[in-house]
Amino acid sequence: MTDINLYPDAINSYEHDIADAIPLFVVDIGDNNTCQYLNILKETTSDTTLQNEFTYWIKVIEAKMKRQK
């Protein structure tokens, strides 16, 4: 979950390599626990950009888990 916590800082940095890599990593290894954590972060942030990003990540993770069943 540390990578998720780094994301808000990474998107505000000049080096976007980290910001680009974090969603790929989170979605790749994400599971139900990741979705729950992302929902908590989404509800506790007032940044609409992060809310939208986390919503998208959750949808992608959920779709990935459905395909794996």
Side-chain angles (χ1 to χ4, degrees):
M1 301 306 166
T2 303
D3 292 334
I4 296 170
N5 294 338
L6 289 174
Y7 188 72
D9 293 328
I11 61 174
N12 291 323
S13 76
Y14 294 108
E15 297 294 328
H16 289 282
D17 294 345
I18 294 172
D20 293 341
I22 290 172
L24 297 173
F25 178 73
V26 170
V27 167
D28 186 47
I29 66 162
D31 59 10
N32 284 330
N33 292 330
T34 307
C35 289
Q36 291 173 348
Y37 187 68
L38 286 168
N39 272 315
I40 291 168
L41 292 176
K42 188 174 76 167
E43 292 172 3
T44 57
T45 186
S46 59
D47 186 327
T48 56
T49 301
L50 287 176
Q51 291 172 346
N52 292 335
E53 286 283 326
F54 294 156
T55 299
Y56 178 73
W57 296 2
I58 291 166
K59 288 179 183 178
V60 174
I61 293 168
E62 289 173 343
K64 178 193 77 165
M65 290 188 308
K66 284 182 184 176
R67 285 192 311 269
Q68 291 176 345
K69 286 185 179 184

